[in-house]
Amino acid sequence: MEDKYYPKVVEAKWQKRWEDSRAFKVTEDPAKTKYYVLEMFPYPSGRIHMGHVRNYSIGDVVARFKTMRGYNVLHPMGWDSFGMPAENAAIKHGIHPHTWTLENIDYLRGQLKKMGLSYDWDREVATCLPEYYRWNQWFFIKMFEKGLAYKKKSFVNWCESCGTVLANEQVEDSKCWRCDNEVGQKELSQWFYRITAYAEELLGKLDEMPGWPERVLTMQRNWIGKSVGCEIDFAVKDVDGVDKITVFTTRADTLFGATFMSIAPEHPLVEKLIAGRPEEEEVRAFVEKVQKEDKIERTAETGEKEGVFTGAYAVNPVTGTEIPIWAANFVLAEYGTGCVMAVPAHDQRDFEFARKYGMPIKVVINPADAKLDPASMDAAYVEPGVMTASGSFDGTPSLEGKVKVAEHLESQGIGKKTINYRLRDWGVSRQRYWGTPIPIVYCDKCGPVPVAVENLPVKLPTDIKFTGQGASPLTTSAEFLAAKCPNCGGEAVRETDTMDTFMDSSWYFLRYCGWDETGPFRKDNAAYWMSVDQYIGGIEHAVLHLLYSRFFTKVIRDLGLTTADEPFTNLLTQGMVIKDGAKMSKSKGNVVDPDELINQYGADTARLFSLFASPPERDLEWSEQGVDGSFRFLSRVYRLVRDNIDTLTTVTAKANGEPSRPVKDIRRATHKTIKKVTDDIDGSFHFNTAIASVMELVNALYQYPLDKADKASVAAFKESVESVVLLMGPFAPHVCAELWEALGKSTPLEKTPWPAYDPELILADEVVIVVQVNGKLRDKITVAVDETEENIKAAALALENVAKFTGGREPKKVIYVPGKLVNIVA
């Protein structure tokens, strides 16, 4: 055993041994309880960062811990390798996305292996390879056949200068990230997945997911956005081709107070409403302006409310009043019907809009004990109340009125009760190159036709030039475009859109279960492993990735390939790594390179610091002192074993009667620590307090008066040191594997059972009693836990310090609080 702890030597040795022995390869074993732990797989962008180190260290602790606890653990890794970053890198560095991606995967794989992560690399996947994306295409075809994949027109970000579609991330302050020219909206025909068909199940199942953070559940509920309300038809005055506009509202009780209508600027009806009117030019300019704005910002509650009158009027169906139709920036075409009845007295956005543009405000709901005056209102009244100025509904409680007005509208044939969702269908078309080709051909005779399954995959050509200029190179590749119609055999043209890369990550966890050439994954393997027991990743994926994964799991279930209803039983969203008060980023110049950290201190130190410095769900503040402290602690554990290696590996001492107090104390400390670490890892993931408790035990071992001539003393010391090594194994696997071997153990550390604690040993056999005189602390005594009250009082009275403060006189009273204190009233 080396005299000093050399992380590079130790880590290289054990990484090679683990790889050569395929130490973490796992197979399905019905005789063992499975445990599937998974961290969100990375985009191979070139280098890992400290966020990766933290994320993967968390998962690795769980995987190693569960393995030592006897579970059959699946812990895989792969690469989310399609997408825009590869295209951006190709443009910047003049390298093909395919080459750039595969080179990065090779480099990243090496980095992750240097961290000592216990992955089963036999199950590695890369989503940019045909053997994976072939099944993206297969799922698309199956969904197309079931009506879950369809095509419709939709607006996209369009840069006229570059002649290309831009992702939201590529639009910066309404300008193209590449050429800095204005970005507009363009209507294109796009492919969609009908996620709304599963909206109710996606929402309802959230109530059955106790293993997810409430914050994430709330975000998904809000994103799905179920609203129970009413659709109402408003007749339209004097507009060719438009007889009515239908709105959705959850407040039918306020219908009598609708004084104008708001319509989304990009709504197709706008052109018909303004045709031939004086307002036509002004409205078009407004629409063009709004289409350049970020939809989230323009619809935010705090955003500026802007609009323009279209010149057209609708008719309130219950009052007969003509109300103006305004194009308003806070209305989105894709939510509800894209048209909103505006009731400024009882909706804050409408109130602000009406005040700004001088439109009437009509009160139709009063508080139960007051009457509102529109002229003096400084905000909309949105609470329940009593209907007023509402015809035959006057005096009706507003909550009751919602139902009664809806029933009235249904009876008149001008409305109906309905449920609306904020959730929109998932647009999966991307007019970019580096993604899964959509398996559709267009035939003049047959229309859009899916590629025959036996001809999958439709391969993405990797031998074409990619410059990033203009449209996707797929649109100009004659070889790619040319196809035959699967229906009639005639000439056809391939779809040139590729799939949203969220498609790749929506089912990869099933692929890890195992696969062959006959399907996307082995059904029997998935039946064993699914659902994922513990999923780990950033809060930024709370909605899209996690929601799409839930949707896809349900689609795959309905295809008969899995019985899982939900993909992830438990979810941990880890915090960010921050430095100097901000998230690490190159632009801020506060990035710490994990390679440099590992080269200087070793992977075990990097892992330990990322786990000890903060609970996993909270942000971690970078600290050079914290890193150095983690290294010093591991060195201290190493020295503890090295300095006592002969004693620890050769027990020759003989028993020496009853175990001494130090022996009892160190055994109690050992078993309390085992319990603490076990409880802190198992479920609660309090890794920082688990590590702290081991540090305390190591401190106790350095203070332990080891009697090498006493067998009990040596045995207790050995038990405690071995426990330290085992308990630290999931956190710092390399050095602990080295120490375990040095202790003469033939079974590898990662295959050794987790230590068990003895409940009896945790219980103290002695207790410290505080002794007070007239309520003030004067001394302490140590007594057996089962000592009698009479003897404890006598021992307290016999103390020299007690006699000093009682003057040797008989006390008035002696009060004993069992197990805690004796108070002597002098």
Side-chain angles (χ1 to χ4, degrees), residues 257-276:
T259 59
F260 64 98
M261 180 181 288
S262 303
I263 185 170
E266 56 269 75
H267 198 294
L269 281 179
V270 169
E271 278 296 322
K272 293 182 178 181
L273 295 176
I274 65 175

Side-chain angles (χ1 to χ4, degrees), residues 161-298:
S161 175
C162 295
T164 188
V165 172
L166 300 178
N168 290 334
E169 300 91 334
Q170 294 175 312
V171 181
E172 301 170 354
D173 296 326
S174 301
K175 293 184 178 181
C176 174
W177 69 284
R178 188 183 300 145
C179 69
D180 207 36
N181 284 322
E182 286 286 332
V183 173
Q185 294 281 300
K186 186 174 183 178
E187 193 174 36
L188 293 179
S189 191
Q190 308 269 294
W191 286 98
F192 287 81
Y193 284 152
R194 206 179 300 275
I195 189 174
T196 51
Y198 287 81
E200 189 60 39
E201 185 181 0
L202 288 167
L203 182 64
K205 283 288 183 179
L206 293 173
D207 295 330
E208 303 172 22
M209 297 163 64
W212 282 41
E214 188 56 41
R215 179 185 177 191
V216 175
L217 297 175
T218 299
M219 292 170 75
Q220 291 216 358
R221 288 189 186 101
N222 292 340
W223 190 266
I224 296 168
K226 181 178 180 178
S227 300
V228 179
C230 183
E231 284 186 354
I232 305 172
D233 295 333
F234 284 68
V236 177
K237 297 282 289 184
D238 305 323
V239 176
D240 290 341
V242 183
D243 298 325
K244 66 178 182 179
I245 290 178
T246 301
V247 304
F248 172 82
T249 181
T250 59
R251 294 294 308 273
D253 55 318
T254 66
L255 177 57
F256 286 83
T259 59
F260 64 98
M261 180 181 288
S262 303
I263 185 170
E266 56 269 75
H267 198 294
L269 281 179
V270 169
E271 278 296 322
K272 293 182 178 181
L273 295 176
I274 65 175
R277 298 184 187 277
E279 295 84 0
E280 188 171 1
E281 187 175 332
E282 182 185 4
V283 173
R284 284 213 177 95
F286 177 73
V287 170
E288 185 177 346
K289 171 182 174 292
V290 171
Q291 285 182 335
K292 295 175 183 178
E293 296 174 355
D294 181 88
K295 289 183 178 180
I296 295 176
E297 290 181 7
R298 82 181 218 215

